[in-house]
Amino acid sequence: MEQLQRAQVTAIPEGGPATLFLGRPRKGVEIRSDVLQARHGDLPVRIYTPQAWSREPRPVVVNFHGGGFALGSARQCDWICSIVAADVDAVVVSVDYRLAPAHKFPAAVEDCYDALLWTAAHAAELGADAARLGVMGDSAGGNLAAVVSIMARDELGPAIAHQALVYPVTDMSETGREDASYLDNVLGIVLSNDDIEVFRDYYLTEDADRLDYRLSPIHAADLSRLPPAVVVVAGLDPLHDSGIRYAQALADAGNVVRVEDFHQMPHGFLSFPYFAHAARPAMAAIVASQRAALRAPSPAITR
């Protein structure tokens, strides 16, 4: 536990050796930190804005980082978020939600939904258009992006026009342990089955219902009328099959879904763009899907 606490408070330095692993932010994108007011208090965010002048308000994408709900920060997503900002020509708001085990479920969900509400309400101040709103996340962040998309529909919140789910956590129930990819990747290169169980124990309370869609979006009672989605999965990832199952469930419910399956990649490969040869093709697929949804004349979904 002490090791986890040290990791949580260790800030990733700007520039230097860290960029060799996490990737250098795209040039031409301004990155700044801010703090918004969430229901629990201050919530730090990292905002990425193209430096080039724009005639019209830009799309805006809210990003949620990975890390098993217990690790990570918005800073680790500089490469990903700056590419989206530059290539989609969008403003990106990346959220430093509260981390487990000090802040268990549903703290992260509440923070991410509050950040979505804040972004929609302050879009004009950001030079963005709230009608062209997307969400994005990897791993635990993919779970949060999927959950927030359902919440926004059910609570008549902001209309989300696109969701990018990168090797998302979609099933925390016992069903997830039956997936072939879970059984075949016990000692995952980046994420092992033991890691998954440790992170779940950090995040979940003892009485948590693992079928709650805010934990396992694949078990939501209704998956219809959700934003168009791109789902990126990795073949050497214990979470591969649950990601595929969620994409299929979205499609079965009548949603537009595209799956990008990188068979030779491990979980988390987008976080290592200089070492994972598929990182750039995966980002190109995400950007293409976002541009199609967020740059269309009327991207808002019908409720």
Side-chain angles (χ1 to χ4, degrees), residues 103-181:
H103 305 286
K104 289 182 176 287
F105 168 81
V109 174
E110 293 173 350
D111 286 356
C112 292
Y113 192 67
D114 286 353
L116 178 77
L117 296 177
W118 180 90
T119 300
H122 293 80
E125 299 169 28
L126 298 171
D129 179 1
R132 300 173 185 274
L133 174 63
V135 294
M136 174 174 69
D138 63 295
S139 193
N143 169 282
L144 294 165
V147 168
V148 162
S149 296
I150 299 171
M151 291 181 68
R153 179 202 64 188
D154 291 350
E155 300 185 12
L156 299 181
I160 299 175
H162 185 267
Q163 52 180 328
L165 312 178
V166 183
Y167 26 81
V169 178
T170 67
D171 192 350
M172 293 195 192
S173 73
E174 293 299 319
T175 306
R177 294 188 174 98
E178 299 171 3
D179 287 329
S181 63

Side-chain angles (χ1 to χ4, degrees), residues 12 20 35 45 49 117 145 153 163 181 192 212 237 247 249 259 278 288:
I12 300 173
L20 296 177
V35 176
V45 293
T49 307
L117 296 177
R153 179 202 64 188
Q163 52 180 328
S181 63
S192 70
D212 186 327
D237 181 2
V259 174

Side-chain angles (χ1 to χ4, degrees), residues 21 24 35 43 51 72 84 87 124 128 159 165 188-189 193 212 224 258 261 264 303:
F21 294 95
R24 294 181 179 86
V35 176
L43 180 61
Q51 293 175 342
V84 171
D87 292 352
L165 312 178
I189 298 173
N193 291 1
D212 186 327
S224 66
R258 181 176 180 84
D261 195 338
Q264 297 179 330
R303 293 194 180 280

Side-chain angles (χ1 to χ4, degrees), residues 195-214:
D195 293 333
I196 293 173
E197 297 307 316
V198 168
F199 285 135
R200 283 177 178 168
D201 288 344
Y202 283 150
Y203 186 49
L204 302 183
T205 58
E206 291 185 2
D207 60 346
D209 177 6
R210 296 192 179 203
L211 296 178
D212 186 327
Y213 83 86
R214 296 172 301 164

Side-chain angles (χ1 to χ4, degrees), residues 27-109:
K27 292 181 179 179
V29 175
E30 176 190 354
I31 304 174
R32 65 181 178 88
S33 297
D34 203 345
V35 176
L36 61 88
Q37 286 301 304
R39 71 190 74 181
H40 81 278
D42 291 348
L43 180 61
V45 293
R46 197 165 172 87
I47 300 173
Y48 306 75
T49 307
Q51 293 175 342
W53 176 79
S54 177
R55 182 186 303 273
E56 300 176 345
R58 293 178 161 99
V60 58
V61 177
V62 185
N63 177 70
F64 312 119
H65 68 80
F69 306 98
L71 293 171
S73 69
R75 165 70 179 86
Q76 74 189 40
C77 300
D78 276 1
W79 184 74
I80 293 172
C81 291
S82 65
I83 287 179
V84 171
D87 292 352
V88 181
D89 193 22
V91 177
V92 180
V93 178
S94 194
V95 185
D96 266 322
Y97 53 86
R98 289 171 291 170
L99 298 176
H103 305 286
K104 289 182 176 287
F105 168 81
V109 174

